[in-house]
């Protein structure tokens, strides 16, 4: 019972956000409307059985709410000071990537909506990415994770360390021979979204120390990788 209630609540929140956005940011309203059309005919009980879809909807509701708060501030100075209160990763997301997603034509959107609905996700990598994220935090770094970044922007984690420069990272366990194509697709996706630099990390899960190595490489490059560089590291 409680879960279906939550699904109903999420649908209602989505509708009220569309209304709010229509007077503040027409592009966001359009994007949310597209998402609403995608889920509106699904009964709450069926929606509850799709945890990925619910998780995605909750993220979009959270992000849209934050974005509308920022957009509603009367002056550029007030908007700026709102951004200054955020962590570097949040600032990069809300100040740059999320608005790009709102305003761009996201050619991958219709593909991954189907994937989310079907629950087709690579959970294996998910566990590894969660572990990496935990290690990053224990090393005083921070991370940001979003379905939109993952599915549209080929970014598993956005990571920043003590220099506070967020870096978009894609992890893959695809073998070296096979990942060249994946690397090229990744690089052109980042360039398409005008993401200035990125790290493509391929790993072998049977190597006992690989998590530590991935974390070292991620933190080092978030501090030092130059703009305009898309580094592949195995």
């Amino acid at each position: 019972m409680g879960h279906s209630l939550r699904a109903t609540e999420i649908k209602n929140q989505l509708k009220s956000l569309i209304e709010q956005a229509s007077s503040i940011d027409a592009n966001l309203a359009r994007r949310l409307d597209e998402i609403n059309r995608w889920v509106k005919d699904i009964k709450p009980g069926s929606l509850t059985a799709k945890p990925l879809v619910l998780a995605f909807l909750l993220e979009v509701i959270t992000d849209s709410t934050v974005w509308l708060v920022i957009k509603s501030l009367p002056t550029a100075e007030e908007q700026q000071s709102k951004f200054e209160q955020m962590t570097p990763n949040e600032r990069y997301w809300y100040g740059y990537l999320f608005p790009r997603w709102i305003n761009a034509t996201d050619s991958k959107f219709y593909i991954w909506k189907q994937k989310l609905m079907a629950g087709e996700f690579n959970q294996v990598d998910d566990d590894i990415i969660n572990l990496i994220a935990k290690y990053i935090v224990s090393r005083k770094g921070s991370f940001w994770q979003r379905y939109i970044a993952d599915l549209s922007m080929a970014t598993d984690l956005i990571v920043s360390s003590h220099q506070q420069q967020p870096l978009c990272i894609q992890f893959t366990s695809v073998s070296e021979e096979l990942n060249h194509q994946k690397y090229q697709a990744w690089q052109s996706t980042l360039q398409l979204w005008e993401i200035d630099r990125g790290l493509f990390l391929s790993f072998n899960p049977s190597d006992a120390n690989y998590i530590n190595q991935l974390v070292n490489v991620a933190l080092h490059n978030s501090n030092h990788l130059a703009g305009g560089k898309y580094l592949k590291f195995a």
Side-chain angles (χ1 to χ4, degrees):
M1 165 70 203
H3 285 310
S4 298
L5 196 69
R6 186 159 169 243
T8 307
E9 210 174 285
I10 287 172
K11 286 176 126 183
N12 292 338
Q13 275 180 299
L14 194 57
K15 284 197 201 90
S16 88
L17 275 173
I18 292 169
E19 206 140 306
Q20 254 181 292
S22 60
S23 62
I24 301 169
D25 185 336
N27 283 347
L28 177 61
R30 205 166 30 240
R31 190 36 65 91
L32 292 175
D33 191 52
E34 194 181 344
I35 293 170
N36 185 47
R37 282 200 307 273
W38 173 56
V39 296
K40 77 175 195 303
D41 297 330
I42 299 168
K43 292 186 175 62
S46 312
L47 201 53
T48 304
K50 298 183 182 295
L52 287 175
V53 175
L54 282 184
F56 164 71
L57 292 174
L58 279 171
E59 272 186 9
V60 167
I61 287 168
T62 303
D63 287 346
S64 302
T65 306
V66 171
W67 177 247
L68 290 171
V69 166
I70 294 166
K71 287 283 279 195
S72 309
L73 293 168
T75 67
E77 289 75 40
E78 283 170 276
Q79 292 188 5
Q80 196 44 46
S81 89
K82 193 85 184 155
F83 282 126
E84 278 160 16
Q85 290 159 23
M86 294 179 174
T87 67
N89 290 341
E90 287 172 325
R91 195 157 48 239
Y92 186 50
W93 182 248
Y94 291 114
Y96 190 70
L97 292 179
F98 186 63
R100 291 196 81 77
W101 182 72
I102 293 169
N103 297 308
T105 314
D106 181 353
S107 58
K108 293 186 179 177
F109 194 37
Y110 78 98
I111 305 169
W112 62 256
K113 281 192 300 193
Q114 293 167 344
K115 278 192 163 178
L116 276 181
M117 260 313 161
E120 288 169 22
F121 250 64
N122 186 350
Q123 304 303 141
V124 183
D125 286 356
D126 256 14
D127 298 341
I128 289 164
I129 288 162
N130 291 338
L131 204 54
I132 290 167
K134 221 155 65 187
Y135 270 70
I136 283 169
V137 171
S138 74
R139 301 267 300 273
K140 304 278 183 283
S142 64
F143 71 92
W144 189 256
Q145 202 173 9
R146 280 295 187 265
Y147 286 106
I148 292 168
D150 180 1
L151 298 162
S152 287
M153 302 171 180
T155 296
D156 291 314
L157 289 179
I158 299 169
V159 170
S160 83
S161 187
H162 56 269
Q163 306 256 8
Q164 301 202 325
Q165 296 174 318
L167 178 64
C168 291
I169 304 179
Q170 162 90 271
F171 298 96
T172 181
S173 51
V174 175
S175 72
E176 190 63 43
E177 311 78 76
L178 297 175
N179 73 26
H180 186 67
Q181 245 172 328
K182 195 175 173 181
Y183 167 74
Q184 305 243 258
W186 165 80
Q187 183 174 336
S188 52
T189 299
L190 263 58
Q191 288 167 333
L192 180 76
W193 290 100
E194 294 181 32
I195 292 170
D196 181 42
R197 55 192 201 130
L199 186 58
F200 183 89
L201 286 180
S202 63
F203 60 90
N204 176 359
S206 61
D207 173 4
N209 194 33
Y210 77 93
I211 296 270
N212 236 337
Q213 289 173 329
L214 292 177
V215 171
N216 289 338
V217 174
L219 293 174
H220 176 82
N221 281 287
S222 80
N223 287 329
H224 301 295
L225 187 64
K229 288 264 186 272
Y230 302 93
L231 184 68
K232 179 180 180 186
F233 190 92

